[in-house]
Amino acid sequence: MTSDIARQLIVILEKTVSPDKNELLSAKNFLEQAAASNLPEFLKALSKILVDTTNSAVARMAAGLQLKNHLVSKDEKINQQYQERWHQFPEETRELIKNNILAALGTENTRPSCAAQCVAYVAVIELPINRWGILIQTLVNKVVHEGSSEMHREAALEAIGYICQDIRYGVLENQSNQVLTAIIHGMRKQEPSNHVRLAATTALLNSLEFTKSNFEKDMERNFIMEVVCEATQCTDTQICVAALQCLVKIMSLYYQFMEPYMAQALFPITLEAMKSDNDAIALQGIEFWSNVNDEEIDLAIESQEATDQGRAPQRVSKHYSRGALQYLTPVLVEKLTKQDECDDEDTWSPAKAASVCLMLLATCCEDEIVPHVLPFIKDNIESPNWRYRDAAVMTFGSVLNGLEINTLKPLVEQAMPTLIRLMYDSSVIVRDTTAWTFGRICDIIPEAAINKTYLQTLLECFVKSLKSEPRVAANVCWAFIGLSDAAYDAASANLKENETPETYALSPYFEFIVTQLLEATDRSDGAQANLRGAAYEALMDMIKNSPLDCYLVVQRTTIVILERLNQVMQMESHITNHSDRHQFNDLQSLLCATLQSVLRKVREADAPQISDAIMTALLTMFSSSAGKSGGVQEDAFLAVSTLVELLGFQFSKYMPAFKDFLIMGLKNHQEYQVCCASVGLTGDICRALKHLVVPYCDEIMSVLMNDLAEPTLHRSVKPQILSAFGDMALSIGSEFLKYLNMVLDMLRAASNLQVDNSTYDMNEYISELRESVLEAYTGIIQGLKGVEQTPSTDVFHMEPHLMHIIDFIKRIAQESEVSDSMMASAAGFIGDLCTSFGPRLYPLMDDAIITQFLAEGKRSKGPRTKMLCAWAAKEIKKINSQVIAQ
């Protein structure tokens, strides 16, 4: 690139901060064209501008940002493409850029360092493949070298911090000693520059995951802890907060090594931090103890599991929370009185953090917390100062989850009259907290909420509060959900599973509550505090939990929801902006979800009277532009699914009109949740329509096969497709034979995928895939076998594949961990194979692996698994007897 072009590029870069919009747009277009015409040369030029100290600070910073933006992207796929593109640049180009950005470190006079970011993003690309081997030592030297300037030390530490933050786990483990040397050097209290100390402390925070080997050595750990604890005492707030963040993370990662430091250092440091008037410092102090609680809750669970299995736990709790309880609670409740009157829901404050910490503390310490919080609650719940009333209610609501039922019940019953009075408090914040507390009571100790003594007055205050400020009304909606669940569970206690009770505690008030919730969904301020969504959720729950004597209200609600759906669709032509469109789509989704809820309660005999109107509304929605929105489509498909379940084969009359929308959903690879919902619906339609689905199967199968072959489709959809094959085969029987070979090929490929132990997500996915393969095989076997006592000969088309299928089952049986549902699916399939193929299957089934697998299954705690394993073992025995008899 000539010097004239370089000068022109500098001028353009300086215009990237111009207040003139035309200049900005012109600069943006020039830079995009330069990158498109010859990216390697463009990046070289940018690196030269960045390293040249004679250029203006603006040009250098803009060059660094442009360079960074061509090295990294927040989008994972684009990021991968950028990394591959970097590797394809000529080696001399890569080396020149690397040398320039490394040389630029410490020469900028702006913060943060753009060169540090560029160095880090190239490092993230190169270090995992063992390139740029000198980098880490070079950065360390820039920090520890005596003649190194403040800017050099700071920029090198920033680069180390960015690398530690973004590098793949394991890449830097062998260099953790060098990295820590530089970081600890920069953190020392002898370091004269606070900028350097802050960069070093931030780098330590990012490096803690891969310094495990250092924490395992006493001397090294002692030195790290000493430097971090010293940094928490720094007068510079940013350094103090960053050091406290390090302690929070260290406690999570290295709990088992913290005992020597707890009493002398960690406890006093974090307790003082909690008391601080500086919110950023106080938040970290509270977060530290929330993490301790989290860790000790997990350790208690692990200990219980170990006891149940008759072994010693691998790690043990040091019970720091119990030891600190009496000191922590006064500070936490005091923080609860520091609420912000103009509280923004999205702003995290010490008061909110204190509430969460109290919840965790109660879970961790259980009843032991009561004497430490009860005096505060009693003294302040009726205080003339709203802040103290609110703090008392918040404390009460926060500790409910940890208490034993015998301790909790009398406390809640005693508090009910006061809490009901507080629902009419003059302070909206107190009413909001009280409504939230009632939601917790309904969730945690529901029997207290539906107690006849208070139920009517409680419902009165709830219904009135639905007209309160959106934040209060939204919390009341949540409380209604808990109340509805509690009433239904109490009424169903002595009934068979899935049997609907005749009546329940809310029956006398049911219609009024539903009417009021419907009114709440229609409030003009319903978008605030997610009130509209909360009211619809509460309405859905009331309908879901409705007893038989409320059925007429359910029917009327169905009509109301249907009318609303039609009204909303007529509004579409009046939408003028993006915000309106978003709210409109959300409303349609909520109405579809509510429609599902009411349809699940509609009796089969009543369904045909409303199905035409419902299907017409849903088809109109699919045709509208809102119907093209992913969220709306997904909810509409789920609503159709509920209708299919209700109508059974009667749904066939809608298929000619609906089929194209179903195919549209199946082809929607971009919005995989929509594709997933339409695949699930396809299975539902097959099961409901049986042979009536045959005319549509060719097209559906063609699209499903294309979906499986589509590399861009989210992998979570693919197991659902395999299950849908089973549904179709089960429904159409011998008509499935024309698809059999291609489906079996797909199932074989899916069953051969091996478990990748390196990632939990992949293991989960392969387990799900295997279970879907079993479901598909089961559906195919049952569909081809037919319903007669003697299996249809169609099933023998499976015979050439039996060897592979049995091998697949044996591979599952030999896995170290097999879920209960997988065991049940495999056992059911083994039984189906035996009843389909009889004695000819015996040579394949006479196997110790399968015998052992079924024997283990018979000891399962799950009744379904136990029953299916016993049945499969019995069927194997039966074919064994038949073989002997022959």
Side-chain angles (χ1 to χ4, degrees):
M1 194 176 271
T2 65
S3 57
D4 287 345
I5 296 173
R7 276 195 295 275
Q8 186 189 3
L9 181 54
I10 290 167
V11 171
I12 294 290
L13 287 167
E14 286 172 339
K15 285 181 180 174
T16 59
V17 294
S18 169
D20 184 322
K21 283 186 179 176
N22 292 328
E23 280 195 345
L24 266 178
L25 187 62
S26 165
K28 180 174 175 282
N29 291 337
F30 180 93
L31 292 168
E32 282 175 0
Q33 285 166 15
S37 62
N38 190 339
L39 185 64
E41 286 302 311
F42 177 59
L43 296 188
K44 272 166 67 175
L46 290 172
S47 74
K48 286 175 184 173
I49 293 167
L50 176 62
V51 75
D52 188 343
T53 55
T54 63
N55 291 323
S56 70
V58 169
R60 295 182 73 197
M61 188 164 71
L65 286 171
Q66 284 292 318
L67 186 52
K68 181 199 85 163
N69 291 341
H70 285 93
L71 290 170
V72 70
S73 166
K74 287 178 181 173
D75 183 292
E76 208 175 311
K77 282 186 180 171
I78 296 172
N79 205 36
Q80 188 64 40
Q81 289 164 12
Y82 282 6
Q83 292 188 6
E84 287 164 9
R85 186 176 70 185
W86 171 264
H87 293 313
Q88 286 160 13
F89 289 169
E91 188 178 351
E92 65 202 51
T93 301
R94 292 198 312 269
E95 289 303 314
L96 184 139
I97 293 170
K98 278 151 56 177
N99 290 338
N100 282 342
I101 57 180
L102 198 51
L105 276 182
T107 66
E108 299 157 282
N109 52 13
T110 54
R111 290 187 170 96
S113 162
C114 284
Q117 292 179 54
C118 294
V119 166
Y121 292 126
V122 174
V124 167
I125 300 171
E126 297 225 333
L127 293 180
I129 54 168
N130 296 320
R131 283 188 185 159
W132 214 3
I134 62 158
L135 174 65
I136 297 297
Q137 192 56 56
T138 306
L139 293 174
V140 172
N141 292 344
K142 281 179 182 285
V143 177
V144 301
H145 194 271
E146 274 188 33
S148 195
S149 71
E150 176 194 12
M151 291 302 281
H152 274 98
R153 297 197 303 282
E154 183 186 353
L157 283 162
E158 274 185 41
I160 288 171
Y162 293 138
I163 293 168
C164 292
Q165 181 178 280
D166 293 322
I167 199 91
R168 198 179 71 233
Y169 183 78
V171 173
L172 281 183
E173 268 186 306
N174 293 335
Q175 291 171 292
S176 67
N177 285 340
Q178 293 159 277
V179 169
L180 267 177
T181 298
I183 290 171
I184 299 301
H185 188 88
M187 281 182 73
R188 295 168 311 148
K189 60 184 176 187
Q190 293 89 339
E191 167 57 57
S193 163
N194 278 350
H195 288 298
V196 174
R197 287 189 78 187
L198 178 60
T201 311
T202 306
L204 179 68
L205 182 64
N206 293 333
S207 72
L208 287 167
E209 268 96 347
F210 55 81
T211 52
K212 188 180 175 201
S213 61
N214 306 88
F215 269 87
E216 285 171 346
K217 296 175 185 131
D218 287 357
M219 279 182 65
E220 292 183 31
R221 183 176 67 247
N222 289 341
F223 191 43
I224 296 168
M225 292 303 292
E226 184 184 334
V227 171
V228 176
C229 289
E230 277 174 357
T232 65
Q233 304 307 298
C234 182
T235 52
D236 183 298
T237 300
Q238 283 183 290
I239 295 171
C240 174
V241 169
L244 286 165
Q245 285 175 316
C246 288
L247 288 186
V248 170
K249 199 167 183 180
I250 287 167
M251 179 48 85
S252 285
L253 293 170
Y254 305 114
Y255 175 93
Q256 69 272 33
F257 297 128
M258 290 300 106
E259 195 168 11
Y261 318 105
M262 181 53 83
Q264 289 178 317
L266 300 181
F267 172 68
I269 286 169
T270 54
L271 192 66
E272 279 310 304
M274 285 170 72
K275 292 175 183 175
S276 172
D277 290 330
N278 182 308
D279 282 2
I281 292 173
L283 277 168
Q284 292 310 317
I286 297 167
E287 184 68 15
F288 177 87
W289 284 100
S290 287
N291 271 21
V292 172
N293 290 322
D294 262 333
E295 195 64 29
E296 295 189 344
I297 290 164
D298 287 345
L299 289 169
I301 293 166
E302 283 176 31
S303 174
Q304 188 56 53
E305 283 174 358
T307 304
D308 292 347
Q309 293 164 14
R311 59 175 174 81
Q314 288 179 320
R315 303 181 305 149
V316 292
S317 175
K318 306 292 183 188
H319 302 294
Y320 298 133
S321 294
R322 281 194 161 90
L325 184 59
Q326 60 181 310
Y327 306 101
L328 298 178
T329 43
V331 183
L332 291 169
V333 296
E334 196 268 337
K335 285 291 172 191
L336 289 177
T337 65
K338 308 292 184 198
Q339 318 88 320
D340 184 354
E341 206 163 352
C342 309
D343 187 16
D344 174 12
E345 271 186 33
D346 299 326
T347 306
W348 192 238
S349 65
K352 289 176 184 170
S355 170
V356 171
C357 192
L358 270 175
M359 284 186 209
L360 293 167
L361 205 51
T363 305
C364 199
C365 303
E366 299 174 325
D367 288 357
E368 287 176 43
I369 199 169
V370 174
H372 300 290
V373 293
L374 205 53
F376 177 83
I377 295 167
K378 284 181 172 173
D379 292 348
N380 295 287
I381 201 158
E382 298 192 74
S383 164
N385 183 332
W386 73 264
R387 290 184 184 279
Y388 282 84
R389 289 198 303 280
D390 181 66
V393 178
M394 181 60 88
T395 302
F396 186 72
S398 298
V399 300
L400 294 173
N401 55 304
L403 309 189
E404 289 294 324
I405 194 79
N406 294 335
T407 309
L408 184 58
K409 199 162 183 275
L411 287 175
V412 170
E413 286 173 352
Q414 191 184 341
M416 284 298 269
T418 308
L419 291 171
I420 289 170
R421 274 200 307 280
L422 288 169
M423 284 297 286
Y424 300 99
D425 198 272
S426 57
S427 161
V428 62
I429 294 176
V430 174
R431 280 183 277 122
D432 185 31
T433 304
T434 309
W436 171 81
T437 300
F438 270 123
R440 301 261 297 159
I441 289 169
C442 292
D443 199 32
I444 293 163
I445 180 157
E447 58 268 36
I450 55 168
N451 185 323
K452 284 181 183 173
T453 316
Y454 309 111
L455 184 59
Q456 190 168 343
T457 48
L458 183 63
L459 286 172
E460 279 171 13
C461 80
F462 277 7
V463 167
K464 281 180 183 166
S465 299
L466 282 175
K467 292 178 171 57
S468 287
E469 294 83 353
R471 59 193 282 186
V472 178
N475 266 324
V476 167
C477 290
W478 177 48
F480 265 124
I481 291 173
L483 207 56
S484 153
D485 289 346
Y488 194 80
D489 289 347
S492 310
N494 299 317
L495 300 178
K496 293 175 190 164
E497 198 177 346
N498 298 327
E499 191 179 344
T500 305
E502 186 63 44
T503 187
Y504 75 157
L506 298 183
S507 288
Y509 319 100
F510 186 84
E511 186 169 9
F512 188 58
I513 294 169
V514 166
T515 306
Q516 295 304 309
L517 286 169
L518 281 165
E519 279 184 23
T521 64
D522 233 5
R523 278 176 54 161
S524 58
D525 55 1
Q528 292 177 40
N530 191 32
L531 171 57
R532 184 170 292 114
Y536 271 116
E537 289 281 343
L539 180 64
M540 285 183 242
D541 209 77
M542 289 292 295
I543 298 292
K544 181 188 85 174
N545 289 325
S546 58
L548 295 173
D549 65 356
C550 298
Y551 183 62
L552 280 175
V553 183
V554 173
Q555 283 181 301
R556 285 200 288 272
T557 309
T558 311
I559 306 304
V560 172
I561 298 301
L562 197 51
E563 284 169 358
R564 286 194 179 187
L565 208 47
N566 287 318
Q567 284 165 11
V568 167
M569 284 187 289
Q570 285 162 20
M571 287 161 42
E572 184 167 23
S573 56
H574 303 296
I575 292 171
T576 54
N577 59 50
H578 182 72
S579 170
D580 285 353
R581 162 65 63 194
H582 185 70
Q583 283 197 40
F584 175 78
N585 287 351
D586 279 354
L587 183 53
Q588 286 206 327
S589 285
L590 284 167
L591 286 166
C592 284
T594 311
L595 193 58
Q596 285 176 63
S597 194
V598 289
L599 283 174
R600 286 201 180 97
K601 295 301 279 195
V602 168
R603 291 169 189 162
E604 213 173 296
D606 296 329
Q609 297 162 36
I610 52 167
S611 62
D612 283 2
I614 289 170
M615 206 58 203
T616 302
L618 290 169
L619 288 169
T620 307
M621 189 189 295
F622 280 120
S623 307
S624 70
S625 55
K628 309 295 182 288
S629 149
V632 176
Q633 265 191 51
E634 184 185 358
D635 285 307
F637 277 133
L638 293 170
V640 174
S641 189
T642 314
L643 192 61
V644 168
E645 213 176 298
L646 190 59
L647 290 173
F649 70 90
Q650 294 177 81
F651 185 81
S652 60
K653 70 173 178 176
Y654 303 118
M655 274 305 285
F658 178 63
K659 185 258 299 179
D660 287 345
F661 297 115
L662 179 66
I663 297 298
M664 176 181 77
L666 292 173
K667 287 180 175 176
N668 191 342
H669 300 154
Q670 300 276 185
E671 294 162 308
Y672 71 90
Q673 295 96 332
V674 175
C675 191
C676 218
S678 57
V679 171
L681 175 55
T682 302
D684 295 338
I685 289 171
C686 289
R687 288 195 302 276
L689 267 55
K690 306 283 190 252
H691 271 271
L692 295 175
V693 82
V694 169
Y696 310 99
C697 285
D698 282 357
E699 190 175 359
I700 289 171
M701 280 301 287
S702 169
V703 177
L704 290 178
M705 283 295 176
N706 287 340
D707 282 352
L708 282 175
E710 175 54 56
T712 62
L713 180 61
H714 195 277
R715 69 185 188 197
S716 64
V717 183
K718 298 190 176 181
Q720 312 298 325
I721 294 174
L722 301 184
S723 296
F725 289 154
D727 291 327
M728 186 184 283
L730 187 58
S731 303
I732 66 174
S734 60
E735 298 282 351
F736 192 78
L737 285 173
K738 61 170 148 176
Y739 316 120
L740 185 64
N741 285 332
M742 63 177 180
V743 168
L744 289 176
D745 286 345
M746 285 289 186
L747 295 177
R748 184 174 194 140
S751 68
N752 282 335
L753 273 178
Q754 294 302 306
V755 172
D756 174 8
N757 290 320
S758 63
T759 65
Y760 175 76
D761 282 353
M762 196 61 185
N763 280 352
E764 284 282 288
Y765 171 66
I766 290 192
S767 289
E768 193 186 346
L769 198 65
R770 287 177 169 180
E771 208 160 326
S772 296
V773 169
L774 285 171
E775 284 172 17
Y777 278 143
T778 303
I780 292 167
I781 287 282
Q782 289 182 356
L784 296 180
K785 182 180 77 168
V787 293
E788 301 302 323
Q789 189 70 34
T790 307
S792 162
T793 53
D794 291 335
V795 80
F796 298 137
H797 285 89
M798 293 284 288
E799 201 157 4
H801 304 272
L802 288 179
M803 179 81 79
H804 163 73
I805 289 170
I806 304 293
D807 279 347
F808 170 56
I809 294 171
K810 281 157 68 175
R811 281 206 308 280
I812 291 172
Q814 288 173 297
E815 286 291 334
S816 55
E817 281 184 33
V818 182
S819 70
D820 225 42
S821 58
M822 176 92 82
M823 197 174 260
S825 297
F829 182 46
I830 290 168
D832 284 331
L833 285 172
C834 292
T835 57
S836 301
F837 292 96
R840 67 176 79 196
L841 192 70
Y842 185 70
L844 295 174
M845 283 294 184
D846 182 21
D847 192 294
I849 294 169
I850 290 175
T851 308
Q852 178 63 28
F853 176 66
L854 294 175
E856 279 174 31
K858 283 195 272 188
R859 294 193 292 273
S860 165
K861 288 179 183 172
R864 182 171 173 268
T865 306
K866 191 183 281 192
M867 183 267 288
L868 285 169
C869 287
W871 173 66
K874 187 177 153 195
E875 289 302 321
I876 292 176
K877 219 172 189 178
K878 197 186 287 182
I879 61 173
N880 182 21
S881 305
Q882 289 167 351
V883 168
I884 293 166
Q886 286 172 359

